[in-house]
Amino acid sequence: AQSVTQPDIHITVSEGASLELRCNYSYGATPYLFWYVQSPGQGLQLLLKYFSGDTLVQGIKGFEAEFKRSQSSFNLRKPSVHWSDAAEYFCAVGLLSGGYQKVTFGIGTKLQVIP
Amino acid sequence: GAVVSQHPSWVICKSGTSVKIECRSLDFQATTMFWYRQFPKQSLMLMATSNEGSKATYEQGVEKDKFLINHASLTLSTLTVTSAHPEDSSFYICSARDRAKEYQETQYFGPGTRLLVL
């Protein structure tokens, strides 16, 4: 079964600093990979996704993620964090099963941005 | 585009009552919708997959008689928590796949429904 590990439960960064959120997955083949953001009181919003092709994926809000097969990783990055980026971030992997995709989420990383 | 709504956004009920949560795709049709449950400080756990016009597929450990799912139209799926108990208190989130863009394998999430059972 696929699994997703987000080793950092909570991260604090200064506004303007760079950010990297880690994500490792366990799956026999290359899965579909996603990053979602959840702001308080709101639903999950898709930041970016990787299915195939270029391993560096650009997303919304200035985020990017790089798929590294050798490390089974899909880390999320942003060069300069804004206060509005404070939220919880979920890495997810998708596995096609029965004609649709079943998504498994990581435990999430809560990002705090300080002035 | 690709907006999913949930109603109600929060609900408080007495133990033993049943609660229905609606999930609607507002600007697209969804043959497949998903129901998740999120406990505090934990990730989303898939409960079941709802397919329009057919029975839902439940994940292991999820009681189908406890959590009734109906996907009667291409824009609406409902989750009914029957005879709710305090341990059912949680944050329930639905998602939907755009029928016209299923190849994109993207799920659009609703804002969630917070259920508190007293």
Side-chain angles (χ1 to χ4, degrees):
Chain A
Q2 73 247 43
S3 66
V4 184
T5 302
Q6 291 181 251
D8 305 307
I9 303 299
H10 194 127
I11 281 185
T12 301
V13 299
S14 299
E15 190 169 15
S18 63
L19 171 71
E20 182 169 34
L21 302 182
R22 295 183 290 166
C23 173
N24 292 93
Y25 66 90
S26 172
Y27 180 53
T30 301
Y32 297 92
L33 296 162
F34 307 86
W35 274 101
Y36 287 90
V37 60
Q38 184 180 36
S39 298
Q42 298 189 24
L44 276 78
Q45 182 182 21
L46 179 67
L47 286 176
L48 46 77
K49 60 187 178 186
Y50 172 79
F51 290 168
S52 65
D54 193 346
T55 56
L56 185 62
V57 182
Q58 301 298 320
I60 62 171
K61 304 185 179 185
F63 286 93
E64 66 176 27
E66 186 171 12
F67 168 60
K68 292 186 177 179
R69 185 191 307 274
S70 60
Q71 298 176 20
S72 296
S73 69
F74 189 56
N75 295 346
L76 181 71
R77 300 193 294 248
K78 186 167 184 177
S80 178
V81 171
H82 189 261
W83 63 267
S84 61
D85 293 324
E88 189 142 23
Y89 293 80
F90 292 93
C91 181
V93 299
L95 168 67
L96 283 176
S97 174
Y100 57 85
Q101 191 181 93
K102 188 179 291 189
V103 180
T104 300
F105 288 85
I107 199 169
T109 298
K110 192 164 188 176
L111 173 65
Q112 182 180 8
V113 181
I114 56 177
Chain B
V3 178
V4 176
S5 70
Q6 281 185 241
H7 178 79
S9 54
W10 58 270
V11 57
I12 302 173
C13 69
K14 292 183 179 179
S15 185
T17 61
S18 294
V19 176
K20 180 186 282 188
I21 302 170
E22 293 185 349
C23 176
R24 291 181 186 275
S25 56
L26 298 185
D27 50 2
F28 64 97
Q29 293 183 328
T31 50
T32 307
M33 290 183 170
F34 304 87
W35 286 97
Y36 296 83
R37 186 173 178 177
Q38 185 180 28
F39 290 104
K41 300 187 188 302
Q42 294 188 29
S43 186
L44 285 76
M45 299 298 295
L46 179 64
M47 299 175 63
T49 301
S50 168
N51 296 293
E52 186 267 338
S54 64
K55 291 183 178 180
T57 303
Y58 291 82
E59 294 302 300
Q60 191 171 11
V62 178
E63 301 175 57
K64 57 182 68 176
D65 294 330
K66 173 77 172 174
F67 300 99
L68 301 179
I69 290 173
N70 185 279
H71 193 157
S73 79
L74 288 171
T75 59
L76 173 65
S77 175
T78 60
L79 169 68
T80 301
V81 184
T82 61
S83 186
H85 291 283
E87 58 266 29
D88 298 324
S89 299
S90 190
F91 193 49
Y92 293 87
I93 302 173
C94 75
S95 71
R97 289 202 313 171
D98 187 337
R99 180 190 192 191
K101 300 177 182 177
E102 289 192 347
Y103 65 93
Q104 292 188 356
E105 298 292 352
T106 299
Q107 295 182 27
Y108 301 98
F109 286 81
T113 296
R114 191 163 299 281
L115 170 64
L116 177 60
V117 184
L118 302 177

